Amino acid sequence: MAPVTSADLLHAATEAVRSGPDTSDGVAAVVARVVRDGEVLLDAAWGLADRRHGLPMTPGHRFATASGCKGFTALAVLSLVADGTLTPGTTARSLLGDDLPLVPDDVTVEHLLSHRSGVGEYLDDDADLAEYLMPVPVHRLVSPEDYLPLLDGRAPLFPAGERFAYSNAGFVLLSLLAQRASGVPFHRLVQERVLDPAGTTRTGYPRSDALPGDAAVGYVRVDGRWLTNVHHLPVVGGGDGGAYTTTHDMERFWAALLGGRVVPGELVAAMRAPRSTDDDDYSYGLGLWLPGGDAVQLVGEDAGVSFLSRHDPSTATTWTVAGTTAAAAWPVVRAVRTALA
C-alpha cells in the first residue's frame, strides 16, 4: 500500500467535517495537524472559532483539551517524585490530614495516577454534557483547594488497587496533593515543571471568562440553542482537565516528554508501562493512554470540547485533532486514524 499523502489526509478530514454531527451545519470548528518524520502532512482548520463574531478557525488557534491535560497533572506529580518530594507510594492521607475522611488511608499516588484508587467520583462522565453538572458555582473553582467541597462525602467505589475506573476526582486529588507537597500553586507548578521544560509557548489554564483572542470558543446545545460552555465548566481548568493548547505545542510536548526533558527517562518508562485495560481494550499507564504498539495518547471530551493527540514513535508520527463541541473532533479523528493506518 502506498504511503498516505497530504492530499489524501486533507480530503479524508474535509469529508469527515462535512458529514460530522455538529460540523456539517457550520456550528462547530475543528483543527487538525499531522506530522510524520518531520514532514507536515496536514495542517488545517474548518469552521468558526467564535460564532458570535464570525471569526474563522485557523491552524494556530488555541483550543481546550478537557481531560487531555491529565497528562500534564501526572507529569507535575512525577516531577515531584523525581526530586524526592513524593514517591509513588506516598499516601493521599499523609497530605490530606483531616480533610476528605472518606478517602481510604491506603490510597497512594500511584493508585491515583493509574485510575486504580477507587476514590468516590464527583463528576459523572456518562451524564448529558448539556446539563449544568457542576454542583457548585463554576466561578469558585480556581485552586485545587476549592474542590474540597465537591470531593468531600464521596464514599470509595472499591478497594484501592482492585481494578481500573477512570476518575476525574482522582486527578483533582492529585493536583491537591502536588500543591500541598510542593508548596507551589498547582497551575504554576505545571507551568514550571511541565510546560516550560516542554518548550510550549501557548499552553496553559486561562480563565474561561477571559479567554485570549486566539482561543477557540466551545459550544453546547441546551434546550435547542447553541450556547458557549462558559457556565458548564470550572472557570479555570484543574487537575482533571481544562487546559488550552495548540497543535504545534502538542508536537513540542510529545518530543520533550519522550526525550526525557520533562521527567527522567525511567519515569517516562513508568508512565508508558500498562497498568490496566479499559472496556475498549485500550491500556492505561500513569497519566497516559496506550492505544497500541509504542503509541501514547491524550484524549478529552466535555461540554464544548473534543480533543485527541497521539504520538507513535515507531512511525515518528504526531497528530492532534480538536473540536469546539463534544462531538466535533471524532469524525476527523476516525478519518485521520484510518488514513494513517
Side-chain angles (χ1 to χ4, degrees):
M1 181 180 294
V4 66
T5 67
S6 296
D8 294 333
L9 275 170
L10 181 59
H11 175 75
T14 300
E15 288 302 307
V17 168
R18 288 174 178 166
S19 62
D22 297 335
T23 51
S24 57
D25 58 3
V27 169
V30 177
V31 61
R33 181 175 170 89
V34 180
V35 178
R36 172 169 285 177
D37 201 19
E39 179 185 1
V40 178
L41 297 179
L42 179 67
D43 192 21
W46 303 263
L48 297 177
D50 187 333
R51 298 177 68 230
R52 296 166 296 181
H53 304 294
L55 299 177
M57 189 77 153
T58 72
H61 264 87
R62 305 186 212 201
F63 45 79
T65 61
S67 290
C69 66
K70 281 185 170 71
F72 301 165
T73 302
L75 283 164
V77 170
L78 289 170
S79 78
L80 298 176
V81 172
D83 71 14
T85 302
L86 295 172
T87 73
T90 297
T91 64
R93 180 58 51 210
S94 67
L95 291 160
L96 288 175
D98 294 332
D99 290 330
L100 306 180
L102 294 185
V103 173
D105 291 346
D106 61 346
V107 168
T108 67
V109 164
E110 184 165 359
H111 288 140
L112 294 164
L113 286 170
S114 58
H115 292 294
R116 298 182 65 86
S117 69
V119 296
E121 186 58 280
Y122 83 98
L123 189 62
D124 183 1
D125 261 348
D126 295 323
D128 184 352
L129 295 179
E131 298 296 326
Y132 296 92
L133 299 176
M134 289 296 172
V136 301
V138 295
H139 69 274
R140 296 181 181 173
L141 297 174
V142 177
S143 165
E145 298 284 346
D146 299 331
Y147 287 77
L148 283 172
L150 279 71
L151 302 178
D152 200 17
R154 310 280 176 175
L157 304 177
F158 52 83
E162 180 181 86
R163 57 185 173 86
F164 175 89
Y166 189 83
S167 175
N168 291 294
F171 270 70
V172 172
L173 186 51
L174 281 169
S175 69
L176 178 64
L177 301 181
Q179 181 167 285
R180 290 188 176 185
S182 66
V184 178
F186 172 71
H187 299 102
R188 197 175 97 201
L189 187 72
V190 173
Q191 187 69 49
E192 295 175 351
R193 298 293 190 104
V194 181
L195 303 179
D196 288 346
T200 63
T201 59
R202 296 166 61 223
T203 300
Y205 298 82
R207 290 181 63 97
S208 64
D209 55 2
L211 289 177
D214 63 351
V217 178
Y219 293 93
V220 59
R221 191 172 181 84
V222 179
D223 297 330
R225 299 173 59 205
W226 285 102
L227 306 175
T228 74
N229 61 356
V230 66
H231 296 303
H232 289 260
L233 303 172
V235 68
V236 179
D240 60 340
Y244 280 69
T245 190
T246 68
T247 56
H248 288 78
D249 268 2
M250 288 309 301
E251 278 181 59
R252 298 183 183 102
F253 169 78
W254 288 122
L257 171 63
L258 298 186
R261 299 196 297 274
V262 182
V263 295
E266 61 268 22
L267 289 176
V268 177
M271 296 180 77
R272 299 175 68 189
R275 303 304 200 280
S276 304
T277 302
D278 72 358
D279 293 338
D280 296 321
D281 291 328
Y282 268 29
S283 295
Y284 197 86
L286 300 179
L288 295 176
W289 288 102
L290 309 170
D294 289 335
V296 285
Q297 177 173 291
L298 293 172
V299 63
E301 179 181 312
D302 213 330
V305 187
S306 45
F307 165 83
L308 184 144
S309 187
R310 180 184 295 187
H311 177 72
D312 187 347
S314 66
T315 60
T317 303
T318 300
W319 56 283
T320 300
V321 180
T324 58
T325 70
W330 307 129
V332 180
V333 165
R334 289 191 289 270
V336 170
R337 184 169 54 214
T338 299
L340 290 175

